[in-house]
Amino acid sequence: MSTTAGAERRLTGGWFQRLAWVALVWGSLGFLVWVPFLYVATRRGLSSDWVAFASFALYECVILPWAVITPDGDGDAFFGIAILVTLLTATVLLLSAVFDKKIPAAQPAYGAAMAPQGQPYQQGYPYGR
């Protein structure tokens, strides 16, 4: 990957990679929701990626003390809604917005002259002499 000044950094990910990150988020019940966004932020280095990482890290720093301090414990409705909204937001971001789409290889226009593929025989010598 080029790191020259002004070069656009891209991070393409296939569906298996995207689903693996979503499985990590849901499998950890949201406790590791910041991990995929840290990965993306360090790979691409865009400010929007760092903001997404910081917001999920802040969520983690708020939700853990909230779970311990609240007297209702597991029965707090706002706590449950916050977790579900965060998990759904992270899922949508990981499946659609975080990874760049793959750029298809340029195809020559229909009828355009193809570049020579290397001709082993000179033109005018049909038998290769």
Side-chain angles (χ1 to χ4, degrees), residues 7 11-12 21 32 42 44 71 74 80 85 87-88 109 112 114 120 128:
L11 181 63
T12 56
W21 284 121
L32 297 177
T42 56
R44 280 200 310 194
D74 295 339
V85 167
L87 290 175
L88 292 173
M114 298 284 291

Side-chain angles (χ1 to χ4, degrees), residues 76-129:
D76 191 3
F78 291 117
F79 181 70
I81 290 172
I83 289 175
L84 286 177
V85 167
T86 302
L87 290 175
L88 292 173
T89 302
T91 301
V92 168
L93 287 175
L94 288 171
L95 291 179
S96 63
V98 170
F99 292 98
D100 297 320
K101 295 180 180 175
K102 293 182 180 180
I103 299 174
Q107 297 289 331
Y110 182 75
M114 298 284 291
Q117 301 294 327
Q119 300 172 353
Y121 306 113
Q122 292 179 351
Q123 192 170 6
Y125 291 90
Y127 302 108
R129 316 186 258 147

